[in-house]
Amino acid sequence: MSSMKPILALVLSLMAAPTFALDSIGTVTARLEGADLSWQVLTTEDGAAMVQVNDIGPLTMVDTHAMGDGDVYIGLVFQDEPSIDVAPVGITIDIRPEGAAGPVWKSAGASVAPTLSIERLNLDGAGRIEAGFEAMLCRGDTPATCETVIGRIETDLGLP
C-alpha cells in the first residue's frame, strides 16, 4: 500500500516533532459491529494534511486518512475532473477500529463494491467533500466475516 507511506511519514514526523499543533479539518463516521465510530482528519500548522488530492493523467485520486476510534482510510479514484455528478471509478475503504495492532475491515475482495453519494465536492480554495458511503467490509484475518457499513465523510481537502 504505497498510498500509506506519505501518511505514515506524516504521523511519524508528528510524533518526532510534538511542537506542531494538530487541527481537525473534518470527520469520518461509520457504524461497524454495532458501534458508532468517529475519526478526525488532521492537519498541522505547516499545512501537511491527512487528505491528499493527486492528479495522475486522466485520473484524480482523493486519499483520506483519519484517526480516532482506531483509524480509517478512504481512497477515491475519479476519471477526469471530479464532481458531484460523477461517481468515482474506484472506491477503497479500510477501517481498523483497534488501530494498527487490530484487524482491518476492508472493501477490497468483498462481494459488493462500495458506493458513494456525494452531496458536495469542491476543489476550489481549500476544497471540501461531503458524502455518504455504504460498503461491504470483510475482516482481513477472517475474510468470511463481512458486514455492511454505512458512514459519512465531511472534510476539507487541505488544498494549498
Side-chain angles (χ1 to χ4, degrees):
M1 294 184 66
S2 62
S3 64
M4 294 291 286
K5 289 180 183 176
I7 298 308
L8 181 59
L10 170 66
V11 170
L12 292 176
S13 70
L14 295 176
M15 291 169 47
T19 57
F20 280 113
L22 296 176
D23 294 314
S24 175
I25 59 171
T27 59
V28 177
T29 56
R31 185 166 183 81
L32 176 66
E33 294 187 294
D36 290 320
L37 304 175
S38 178
W39 303 272
Q40 298 294 311
V41 180
L42 302 174
T43 186
T44 63
E45 290 173 345
D46 68 353
M50 295 177 72
V51 59
Q52 295 180 337
V53 178
N54 296 305
D55 291 324
I56 299 177
L59 302 176
T60 300
M61 296 182 298
V62 179
D63 292 314
T64 304
H65 297 262
M67 297 167 41
D69 293 325
D71 53 69
V72 64
Y73 165 77
I74 299 176
L76 307 174
V77 179
F78 292 90
Q79 182 79 36
D80 301 318
E81 186 70 24
S83 78
I84 64 170
D85 301 321
V86 178
V89 294
I91 302 172
T92 302
I93 300 174
D94 293 343
I95 296 177
R96 292 180 181 268
E98 299 168 31
V104 59
W105 290 79
K106 54 189 181 177
S107 61
S111 60
V112 178
T115 59
L116 187 74
S117 173
I118 303 172
E119 295 138 22
R120 180 177 175 189
L121 180 58
N122 182 352
L123 297 179
D124 297 327
R128 181 146 184 96
I129 186 169
E130 295 176 8
F133 62 86
E134 184 171 333
M136 172 79 63
L137 301 183
C138 301
R139 278 181 66 129
D141 57 347
T142 54
T145 303
C146 300
E147 182 174 327
T148 298
V149 174
I150 296 174
R152 286 199 55 74
I153 179 171
E154 296 182 2
T155 186
D156 290 344
L157 296 175
L159 299 174

